[in-house]
């Protein structure tokens, strides 16, 4: 095991060290080039003793020869290159550290995010460059992650509660029946147990549908929304009649690109939600590329409506387990469409779905 670690070990050269070596190397190479040019110039000078302009001013002896000057140039060039190397290393280290400080802040924020803390933001200011672009992108990613994790925590907590409730209810009914079996209305008990069990099954199936839509691509074909609404209409009419709700529809040809099974589920969920959480009237309208479902009822605020597409959120304002609109929103999303929920001024809600038109040319 230790041998494998030795074989896979690689020396760690930080970006700061590499930039420092690059700065220092550039200075040394530049100084070396200048020194070579000076040396070559003096090599061209004729090889004879130099004389002073006024021979009487020779106080320090005879003037230097070309060879002596070249030796001095080489000696001074060596000292200069050494000095440039020291300046390049020290200056490059400081300059690289200053330039890379924003990257260190982004790295520190990434480590905090990796540990589970998503409330920290980099927020670089100053001149716009690659680092500030990276900082802004990273902050936007943290914003989205924080929202997603908060929704996931709420979803997990609500799902646990909703799945626990049917089992707790069934357990209570069975315990009461066991305590006094002779005075139980068995048909009524069986009916209530079946209804409670079905509620748990509906929750699990909807959760599985949401998970499946998050993990796969869908196959699409040209689908007529009007035909989808007509196929779902008998079951929806029966539910509306049982709830005492007047259900009406206006349809026009609307061929969109989608999955027929999922679009059937979308239409069913939206109309059922309008029936179960509204007042006494529900209307469905199919227009080219659009589906609108409207109901009356209590006056809703924009803040309430914004939470309706979150799993289990709708339950706080009415009956049901609150997964219908969440599943509808996900179905619209995988179809690359848009779902808009708008509170009606007089009460109730209007759900508008816009889907991409079908490409009939191919």
């Amino acid at each position: 095991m230790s041998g494998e670690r030795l074989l896979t070990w690689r020396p760690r050269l930080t970006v700061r060290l590499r930039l420092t070596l690059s700065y220092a190397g550039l200075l040394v190479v530049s100084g070396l080039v200048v020194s070579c040019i000076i040396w070559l110039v003096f090599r061209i000078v004729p090889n004879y003793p130099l004389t002073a302009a006024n021979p009487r001013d020779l106080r320090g002896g005879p003037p230097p020869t070309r060879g002596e000057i070249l030796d001095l140039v080489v000696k001074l060039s060596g000292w200069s290159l050494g000095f440039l190397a020291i300046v390049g290393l020290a200056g490059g280290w400081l300059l690289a550290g200053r330039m890379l400080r924003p990257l260190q802040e982004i790295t520190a924020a990434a480590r905090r995010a990796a540990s589970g803390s998503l409330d920290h933001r980099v927020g670089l200011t100053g001149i716009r460059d690659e680092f500030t672009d990276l900082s802004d992108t990273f902050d936007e990613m943290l914003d989205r992650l924080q929202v997603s994790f908060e929704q996931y925590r709420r979803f997990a907590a609500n799902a646990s509660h909703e799945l626990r409730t049917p089992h707790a209810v069934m357990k209570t009914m069975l315990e009461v029946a066991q305590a006094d079996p002779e005075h139980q209305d068995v048909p009524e008990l069986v009916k209530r147990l079946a209804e409670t069990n079905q509620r748990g099954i509906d929750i699990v199936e909807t959760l599985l549908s949401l998970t499946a839509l998050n993990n796969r691509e869908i196959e699409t074909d040209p689908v007529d929304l009007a035909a989808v609404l007509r196929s779902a209409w008998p079951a929806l009419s029966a539910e509306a009649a049982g709830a005492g709700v007047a259900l009406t529809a206006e349809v026009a040809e609307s061929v969109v690109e989608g999955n027929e099974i999922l679009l059937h589920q979308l239409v069913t969920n939206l109309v059922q939600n309008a029936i179960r959480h509204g007042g006494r009237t529900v209307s469905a309208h199919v227009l080219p590329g659009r589906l609108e479902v409207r109901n009356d009822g209590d006056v809703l605020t924009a803040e309430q409506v914004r939470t309706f597409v979150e799993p289990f959120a709708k339950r706080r304002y009415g009956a049901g387990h609150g997964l219908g609109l969440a599943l509808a929103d996900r179905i619209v999303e995988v179809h690359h469409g848009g779902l808009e929920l708008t509170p009606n001024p007089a009460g109730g809600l209007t759900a508008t779905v816009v889907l991409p038109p079908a490409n009939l040319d191919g």
Side-chain angles (χ1 to χ4, degrees), residues 24 27-28 80-90:
L27 281 177
V28 171
S80 299
L81 292 177
F83 176 76
L84 289 176
I86 295 173
V87 171
L89 290 173

Side-chain angles (χ1 to χ4, degrees), residues 92-355:
W93 182 261
L94 295 176
L95 183 59
R98 181 178 179 84
M99 295 294 296
L100 295 176
R101 188 175 297 119
L103 186 59
Q104 295 172 350
E105 296 180 13
I106 297 174
T107 302
R111 286 174 178 165
R112 291 187 60 178
S115 65
S117 176
L118 300 176
D119 57 350
H120 178 69
R121 299 293 181 269
V122 183
L124 289 182
T125 59
I127 300 175
R128 300 296 304 177
D129 56 15
E130 290 83 353
F131 288 124
T132 54
D133 292 341
L134 177 61
S135 169
D136 293 343
T137 302
F138 187 78
D139 287 345
E140 291 176 3
M141 181 191 70
L142 287 180
D143 290 336
R144 294 182 180 180
L145 283 176
Q146 188 172 17
V147 171
S148 298
F149 276 113
E150 289 176 354
Q151 291 178 347
Y152 171 77
R153 282 194 290 265
R154 289 196 300 269
F155 173 80
N158 291 327
S160 300
H161 173 74
E162 291 295 324
L163 291 174
R164 187 186 301 115
T165 300
H167 293 85
V169 172
M170 288 189 292
K171 180 182 178 182
T172 301
M173 288 190 291
L174 290 173
E175 288 176 348
V176 171
Q178 288 176 342
D180 188 12
E182 296 180 358
H183 298 84
Q184 293 297 318
D185 186 349
V186 176
E188 180 65 21
L189 176 62
V190 172
K191 178 183 176 182
R192 292 174 59 192
L193 287 172
E195 291 174 350
T196 306
N197 183 66
Q198 185 60 45
R199 178 167 174 259
I201 293 174
D202 291 341
I203 294 175
V204 173
E205 289 181 346
T206 308
L207 289 174
L208 291 175
S209 299
L210 281 171
T211 303
L213 287 176
N214 288 332
N215 296 318
R216 68 180 177 92
E217 293 291 332
I218 63 171
E219 297 181 359
T220 61
D221 295 295
V223 179
D224 187 1
L225 276 179
V228 172
L229 181 61
R230 293 189 188 99
S231 66
W233 196 253
L236 295 174
S237 298
E239 180 170 347
V245 175
L247 181 62
T248 60
E250 295 181 9
V251 296
E253 184 179 2
S254 177
V255 181
V256 298
E257 191 71 22
N259 182 284
E260 185 173 359
I261 297 176
L262 291 178
L263 291 179
H264 187 279
Q265 183 71 52
L266 170 65
V267 171
T268 301
N269 282 17
L270 290 178
V271 178
Q272 283 182 343
N273 180 80
I275 294 172
R276 297 172 182 177
H277 301 284
R280 292 302 176 186
T281 62
V282 174
S283 61
H285 304 269
V286 175
L287 305 171
R290 296 168 65 91
L291 168 66
E292 293 182 0
V293 178
R294 180 178 304 170
N295 66 355
D296 59 357
D298 298 334
V299 176
L300 301 171
T301 65
E303 182 179 357
Q304 288 176 324
V305 172
R306 279 195 295 268
T307 65
F308 284 175
V309 295
E310 295 183 17
F312 303 104
K314 188 69 175 66
R315 177 174 170 78
R316 295 197 296 268
Y317 308 104
H321 46 68
L323 289 170
L325 286 180
L327 181 57
D329 181 64
R330 183 57 186 152
I331 292 174
V332 173
E333 184 178 350
V334 298
H335 280 84
H336 306 289
L339 171 63
E340 183 179 0
L341 303 178
T342 306
N344 300 324
L349 186 71
T350 298
T352 303
V353 175
V354 179
L355 295 171

Side-chain angles (χ1 to χ4, degrees), residues 1-60:
M1 187 67 180
S2 60
E4 293 178 359
R5 291 181 178 177
L6 290 175
L7 290 175
T8 58
W9 181 83
R10 294 290 186 275
R12 186 172 185 268
L13 291 177
T14 63
V15 175
R16 186 176 186 181
L17 179 57
R18 282 182 286 172
L19 286 176
T20 300
L21 295 177
S22 299
Y23 296 151
L26 181 61
L27 281 177
V28 171
V29 171
S30 300
L32 182 61
V33 170
V34 173
S35 300
C36 290
I37 292 175
I38 296 175
W39 185 82
L40 289 174
V41 169
F42 276 97
R43 287 284 297 177
I44 300 174
V45 175
N47 190 15
Y48 53 79
L50 301 178
T51 59
N54 186 2
R56 296 180 179 179
D57 293 337
L58 294 175
R59 302 186 182 91

